[in-house]
Amino acid sequence: MDAPAVAVRGLVKRYGNVEAVRGIDLEVARGETFGFLGPNGAGKSTTINILCTLVEPTEGHAEVVGLDVVRDRAAVRRRIGLVFQDPTLDAPMSGEQNLRFHQELYGVDRRRAPARREEVLRMVGLWERRGDEVRTYSGGMRRRLEIARGLLHSPQVLFLDEPTIGLDPQTRGTIWDYVAELHRNDRDLGREEITVFVTTHYMDEAEHCDRIAIMNEGRIVALDTPDALKAQVGADRVTITTDDDEAAQRTLRTELGLDPAVREGAVTIAVPDGAGFVPRLFDRLGAHGVAIRSVTVTRPSLDDVFLAHTGTTIRDAEAGPSMHPTAMRMRR
Amino acid sequence: MTTTLRPEALHVPESGLATEARAATVVWQREMIRFVKDRSRILSSLAQPLLFLFVLGTGLGSLLNSSAGGSVGFTTFLFPGVMAISVLFTAAFAGISIVWDREFGFLREMLVAPVSTASILVGKALGGATVATLQCLVLLALAGLVGVPYDPLMLLAMIGLIFLMGFMITSLGLVLAARVRQVQSAMPLVQLVITPLMFLSGALFPLSGLPTWLAVLTHVNPMTYAVEPLRSVVFDHLDVDAATRARFDPGIVWGTWPVPVGVQILITLACCVLLLALAVWRFRRTE
Ligand SMILES: Nc1ncnc2c1ncn2[C@@H]1O[C@H](COP(=O)(O)OP(=O)(O)OP(=O)(O)O)[C@@H](O)[C@H]1O
Ligand SMILES: [Mg+2]
């Protein structure tokens, strides 16, 4: 059996008296898309940088595809692809020149290098613009080029540190499409799937991951599949507006044994499977002559998960005092 | 789409000399791409040496000519010195430019590759040396205007020495750049270091009959040992008497020992290696 894509034991990183990472344990299986979620300053980038051999841990142990990130630095680097939080492209060079530079730096087989460049450039839709200087690319194009570059040397693990930061929703979606495509492609060819380790602080994006870890103040506070995490925090909410809220409430209580709440002219019911419950709801209320005007089913969001585990919403956490100087600088 | 997005055969090879050489080469190539693209820099960095040569040289020359003998004018003396000044500024800038690479993030792309920091910095130093040499070719073309013959052997030797000097100064620039985080402080730092190196190198005046304090300062300046071989090569190909040569090209004398040109070149080579090693060490520690 292959070693896991990422294995981390008791990882600690201190910068002076700032404890960026406070003892985390983690295992990511091969082929997994693993999400790292947390507010600014949580320690996501620090963890990624340790895994990419850029930063040495103060304590603990980390392995990537079975190789120690401190002892086998070069070996780890050969097997990983990287997209950093901050851009690392050379603006005066063209898109293709940036890729060629990378291939030479990584010693990619020269005979196959041009074909490979074309593949990744086509994948991210930059083939037509390959000859233009990166200076003339939009933010989204630059990000896509960086992802293409991270894939050039066929890494086993791809690290993406906030690949979608500052991008419009559509481009963000595209980037997740690439990730899905990579997996599909590997499956089609019957190969070991690439492992994708991605950080984000957009809650909705975490839905694309097989598993996610929520990190807060240097610790992992929750780790599971998105659905399991949401199930932990509670049931779906079904909110209805009706002709007669009183009657609706009564019916739900007596007929279905539920405990609805009436608030701001709407009836809210907590049920495990909201979508599956709606037909039954219509049926019962209809039988008692209550007309339903609207229905909304709300699944617990990862925001709720985050709130449950950290006591704040991710937005509050972002706006709060943890907006540390480093983060401000990086976000400039 | 069924393109082979991750063909297994394309794995990255184990480290080796060939991989390191490829890395250094591509870093060098990038410097060339930038040089060619930045035409305004090429022109503006020629202005300064030309001013030195023709304005300062002619101006000061008129002061000296009455007493100086032979066919050698002050501009002839100044020619290799101005070459050195051009190298000094071009190469130091090439070295310090890594601060911009850091600022724009590209340094990270280079330093996370599975190659040694030394290969990256060697590529940079070779790039700086090449750019400095290419700049000097334009100046070399003007040799005839200041009474220096177009001797192929002399020109070849000069190009070699200029390249060596360029490598040394780019490495020095890299050493300085290792700790600079702010691009605004990069240029002042270069000026601060380069200006004394220029004045204390014998580029602008002969190193004879200097007061002790000045002689000592020139002798501890590595630039001195890179400038003197250049002047020596030029004077080897001039038709001058011994007295004029002694006056304009007295060489470097430690106490009573005239340091041979071969030793001067060795010292320059040693400085190249030391400075580059220092740069590698500093980059490994800070990045
Ligand atoms: N080089 C450094 N020197 C000192 N402190 C650092 C350094 N890098 C990170 N830190 C500190 O470590 C903590 C974690 O930072 P990190 O960049 O890992 O957070 P993050 O989760 O990636 O945040 P963001 O969402 O803003 O990217 C912060 O308090 C930060 O100030
Ligand atoms: Mg980060």
Side-chain angles (χ1 to χ4, degrees):
Chain A
M1 183 56 210
D2 281 342
V6 172
V8 169
R9 287 271 156 274
L11 201 67
V12 174
K13 178 68 195 180
R14 275 186 287 268
Y15 291 106
N17 48 19
V18 179
E19 208 164 12
V21 176
R22 310 181 180 195
I24 62 173
D25 299 302
L26 188 66
E27 202 166 294
V28 179
R30 301 254 180 142
E32 211 176 346
T33 298
F34 189 86
F36 227 43
L37 202 62
N40 287 146
K44 306 181 296 292
S45 295
T46 306
T47 308
I48 279 216
N49 287 347
I50 293 173
L51 293 174
C52 299
T53 77
L54 275 174
V55 169
E56 285 199 9
T58 315
E59 281 167 33
H61 186 81
E63 283 184 3
V64 174
V65 293
L67 298 161
D68 189 292
V69 297
V70 179
R71 268 184 292 116
D72 310 315
R73 267 174 98 153
V76 170
R77 288 179 182 192
R78 279 193 287 274
R79 288 164 180 80
I80 60 175
L82 290 170
V83 175
F84 293 110
Q85 181 167 353
D86 304 310
T88 61
L89 292 166
D90 193 30
M93 287 205 289
S94 72
E96 192 169 18
Q97 276 172 334
N98 267 279
L99 297 193
R100 205 186 73 82
F101 187 95
H102 185 89
Q103 289 178 316
E104 290 297 305
L105 217 50
Y106 280 71
V108 171
D109 183 352
R110 272 214 182 110
R111 282 161 305 168
R112 306 183 60 172
R116 180 70 182 155
R117 283 202 294 272
E118 180 169 349
E119 273 163 14
V120 295
L121 279 168
R122 284 195 189 281
M123 172 185 169
V124 299
L126 287 174
W127 177 245
E128 263 68 51
R129 297 288 306 269
R130 66 185 179 282
D132 297 349
E133 289 181 12
V134 169
R135 182 148 38 103
T136 66
Y137 286 18
S138 71
M141 290 165 74
R142 289 178 196 208
R143 219 58 188 139
R144 274 145 55 200
L145 184 65
E146 288 197 290
I147 291 175
R149 187 178 65 183
L151 292 168
L152 270 178
H153 55 283
S154 315
Q156 286 169 281
V157 186
L158 180 64
F159 289 96
L160 305 170
D161 196 357
E162 312 219 359
T164 55
I165 192 102
L167 302 183
D168 65 48
Q170 198 193 334
T171 315
R172 275 165 56 187
T174 323
I175 286 183
W176 285 100
D177 290 343
Y178 300 149
V179 173
E181 190 179 327
L182 283 173
H183 285 294
R184 197 171 45 244
N185 201 256
D186 286 339
R187 268 197 305 277
D188 289 351
L189 294 163
R191 267 199 323 242
E192 178 202 313
E193 285 178 46
I194 188 171
T195 308
V196 181
F197 191 110
V198 53
T199 75
T200 177
H201 56 208
Y202 295 120
M203 288 292 171
D204 51 327
E205 292 192 344
E207 308 278 357
H208 296 277
C209 302
D210 297 323
R211 285 194 307 153
I212 54 181
I214 295 184
M215 196 169 190
N216 192 38
E217 297 176 347
R219 292 201 178 83
I220 291 179
V221 291
L223 196 165
D224 215 322
T225 63
D227 285 337
L229 284 175
K230 285 185 281 192
Q232 277 169 26
V233 292
D236 294 353
R237 277 198 309 276
V238 179
T239 308
I240 52 173
T241 55
T242 63
D243 285 348
D244 184 353
D245 288 352
E246 288 293 305
Q249 206 179 1
R250 216 173 324 114
T251 309
L252 288 166
R253 217 171 253 143
T254 55
E255 290 270 317
L256 296 163
L258 294 165
D259 183 23
V262 182
R263 212 185 301 127
E264 293 165 18
V267 183
T268 305
I269 319 122
V271 288
D273 174 18
F277 171 71
V278 171
R280 221 148 53 88
L281 179 74
F282 272 84
D283 186 44
R284 292 291 83 206
L285 290 183
H288 283 81
V290 180
I292 299 176
R293 272 193 253 118
S294 72
V295 185
T296 328
V297 179
T298 326
R299 312 213 60 213
S301 69
L302 285 168
D303 281 300
D304 299 327
V305 177
F306 192 83
L307 180 66
H309 284 286
T310 64
T312 86
T313 69
I314 197 156
R315 257 172 248 297
D316 291 344
E318 260 172 45
S322 63
M323 191 65 184
H324 46 85
T326 321
M328 308 250 277
R329 189 179 64 80
M330 287 177 153
R331 229 152 273 293
R332 185 187 40 185
Chain B
M1 187 166 100
T2 41
T3 49
T4 318
L5 283 169
R6 232 160 46 85
E8 295 315 297
L10 274 184
H11 71 275
V12 180
E14 294 301 305
S15 328
L17 212 55
T19 323
E20 302 289 336
R22 253 178 101 180
T25 309
V26 77
V27 171
W28 174 84
Q29 278 175 358
R30 171 169 173 262
E31 298 297 311
M32 296 306 107
I33 292 173
R34 315 197 111 197
F35 175 68
V36 173
K37 284 200 171 164
D38 204 354
R39 289 197 201 84
S40 61
R41 202 179 93 204
I42 306 176
L43 287 179
S44 63
S45 57
L46 273 176
Q48 194 196 21
L50 290 178
L51 281 175
F52 266 110
L53 188 58
F54 291 108
V55 178
L56 184 82
T58 314
L60 283 182
S62 66
L63 201 69
L64 295 175
N65 264 355
S66 49
S67 53
S71 60
V72 176
F74 188 63
T75 47
T76 318
F77 160 81
L78 214 49
F79 185 62
V82 160
M83 213 71 89
I85 291 170
S86 163
V87 171
L88 203 49
F89 281 91
T90 314
F93 182 81
I96 203 86
S97 74
I98 207 163
V99 171
W100 277 263
D101 291 342
R102 182 188 284 122
E103 174 75 6
F104 296 119
F106 197 68
L107 183 62
R108 226 165 182 215
E109 152 77 354
M110 295 194 266
L111 292 182
V112 295
V115 291
S116 76
T117 308
S119 302
I120 306 288
L121 297 188
V122 165
K124 269 266 172 194
L126 289 174
T130 311
V131 168
T133 309
L134 290 175
Q135 296 264 17
C136 276
L137 288 183
V138 182
L139 296 175
L140 273 179
L142 304 177
L145 293 182
V146 293
V148 175
Y150 294 103
D151 183 292
L153 278 183
M154 179 201 76
L155 291 175
L156 268 182
M158 285 184 81
I159 289 171
L161 290 169
I162 285 166
F163 190 86
L164 195 61
M165 192 192 293
F167 192 96
M168 176 176 88
I169 299 302
T170 312
S171 303
L172 175 66
L174 291 171
V175 171
L176 296 178
R179 298 283 163 83
V180 182
R181 300 276 144 189
Q182 239 115 43
V183 287
Q184 306 94 290
S185 45
M187 286 322 279
L189 183 68
V190 168
Q191 301 284 351
L192 190 73
V193 175
I194 290 310
T195 318
L197 286 187
M198 170 176 89
F199 281 113
L200 297 171
S201 67
L204 294 170
F205 50 81
L207 298 175
S208 57
L210 300 177
T212 318
W213 66 271
L214 192 51
V216 169
L217 286 178
T218 55
H219 285 175
V220 297
N221 178 4
M223 195 60 194
T224 305
Y225 302 92
V227 173
E228 181 47 35
L230 204 55
R231 176 158 300 133
S232 179
V233 167
V234 171
F235 274 80
D236 282 347
H237 292 83
L238 291 181
D239 188 17
V240 289
D241 56 69
T244 312
R245 175 138 191 191
R247 186 186 157 89
F248 281 110
D249 181 31
I252 305 168
V253 185
W254 284 351
T256 53
W257 186 53
V259 183
V261 171
V263 173
Q264 294 170 13
I265 294 174
L266 280 181
I267 291 175
T268 310
L269 271 171
C271 285
C272 287
V273 175
L274 281 178
L275 285 168
L276 194 72
L278 185 60
V280 171
W281 182 74
R282 302 223 324 170
F283 270 92
R284 282 219 181 110
R285 279 185 33 139
T286 51
E287 228 61 42

